[in-house]
Amino acid sequence: MSAAPQFHDLTVSRIDAEAAGSVAVTFAIPADVRERFAFEPGQFLTLRATIDGHDVRRSYSISSSQNSYAHNGTLEVGIRPVQGGVFSNWAATQLKVGDVLRVMPADGRFIVQRPR
């Protein structure tokens, strides 16, 4: 039996402003956990933060390519603020480079199936 997935502390290495107030958030993945964060296209990351004293978790699709991950050791997610969205609005306005978030390794079964 394998261990249950767990959150890891990841540092925000880059934040890029996108259209309509969205942000692309990039995480630096430490070498000792890179294998755990390997992903397939279509998977997502679950992010966790304490916002106004509340434990908030949200999942966002990985927008990095596998090639980029292999070469740079970074993962990127896009976050679009939505009306009433606690995490999305906080991330788009308060999250800064150097902040640390708790992040779960890639998950999700909606992946690209390539013929072998």
Side-chain angles (χ1 to χ4, degrees), residues 66-86:
Q66 288 175 306
N67 190 41
S68 173
Y69 182 63
H71 285 92
N72 303 325
T74 59
L75 282 177
E76 181 182 278
V77 296
I79 300 176
R80 180 178 58 87
V82 295
Q83 185 173 358
V86 173

Side-chain angles (χ1 to χ4, degrees), residues 27-74:
F27 295 98
I29 311 300
D32 63 327
V33 295
R34 272 200 198 142
E35 189 173 303
R36 290 185 197 150
F37 280 87
F39 68 95
E40 295 294 326
Q43 290 190 303
F44 60 85
L45 297 177
T46 299
L47 313 181
R48 180 180 187 182
T50 301
I51 302 171
D52 295 329
H54 299 281
D55 182 36
V56 183
R57 302 172 191 200
R58 294 294 183 271
S59 298
Y60 295 98
S61 296
I62 298 170
S63 55
S64 306
S65 70
Q66 288 175 306
N67 190 41
S68 173
Y69 182 63
H71 285 92
N72 303 325
T74 59

Side-chain angles (χ1 to χ4, degrees), residues 9-22:
D9 290 335
L10 296 183
T11 301
V12 175
S13 61
R14 185 173 173 161
I15 298 177
D16 294 306
E18 301 286 337
S22 297

